[in-house]
Amino acid sequence: MTSLDHPSISTLSAALREAGLPAAADGIRILDDEARTAAAAAAALGVPVGAIANSLVFRATEGDRVSPLLALTSGAHRASPARLATLAGVSRVSRADPAFVREHTGQVIGGVSPVGHPRPITTVVDRALADHEVVWAAAGHPKAVFPTTFAELVALTGGMAADVAAEEENPVS
């Protein structure tokens, strides 16, 4: 794929423009290879892995109700499901399978964008992304990314800014 015409990329681009972020939409880049991991995206872009916003979709469970939860996490660490459950106010959070991700985002794992989904998704944005002037997020396809900022991600998604790393990655001093 070398085109911005892919339906998921076009949807994301339109959502960025509608949100008043034309520079982010104009900055969409198609990579030579799929970047399904933060390390691969960082290497392709020549940026620190922490500047990659991983889009991780989880199954948030409370009683019989299961809903999607999107965590935009710095590529420099792993998100804590227990912490995410507390933040989302649910009893359990677990990784979603590819079918669940596709159903709720319209996109495939490795290319899930922060917005442009069939319905809004509750989102948590990792505060560690604020350490980077420019953050790169998936643009609806595993070969596509776009530049943004931590503040723009929070505003764009209506997300909650929070520390999402596992406790061992956030030592208490």
Side-chain angles (χ1 to χ4, degrees):
M1 187 202 69
T2 58
S3 169
L4 297 175
D5 294 333
H6 186 279
S8 292
I9 298 171
S10 296
T11 298
L12 170 73
S13 178
L16 292 171
R17 290 183 194 291
E18 185 176 312
L21 301 173
D26 291 342
I28 294 173
R29 289 183 49 190
I30 305 299
L31 305 174
D32 291 335
D33 297 307
E34 288 188 358
R36 291 185 180 265
T37 66
L45 294 165
V47 301
V49 71
I52 302 299
N54 275 337
S55 296
L56 306 174
V57 178
F58 292 89
R59 295 173 62 93
T61 305
E62 185 57 43
D64 292 339
R65 190 176 66 90
V66 177
S67 57
L69 173 67
L70 177 62
L72 299 176
T73 306
S74 168
H77 57 248
R78 299 173 80 76
S80 164
R83 185 172 290 214
L84 290 172
T86 299
L87 292 167
V90 297
S91 58
R92 182 169 174 256
V93 167
S94 58
R95 290 296 289 266
D97 63 32
F100 186 88
V101 172
R102 182 84 175 212
E103 174 188 352
H104 292 283
T105 68
Q107 301 159 358
V108 297
I109 291 175
V112 174
S113 65
V115 293
H117 312 131
R119 288 166 302 289
I121 297 175
T122 299
T123 303
V124 177
V125 183
D126 190 353
R127 281 194 186 110
L129 293 168
D131 294 343
H132 303 278
E133 186 175 328
V134 175
V135 174
W136 290 87
H141 187 281
K143 286 180 126 181
V145 293
F146 72 96
T148 188
T149 66
F150 168 75
E152 287 175 346
L153 281 176
V154 173
L156 179 66
T157 62
M160 171 194 328
D163 295 322
V164 303
E167 281 300 320
E168 60 272 11
E169 296 186 36
N170 285 326
V172 177
S173 338

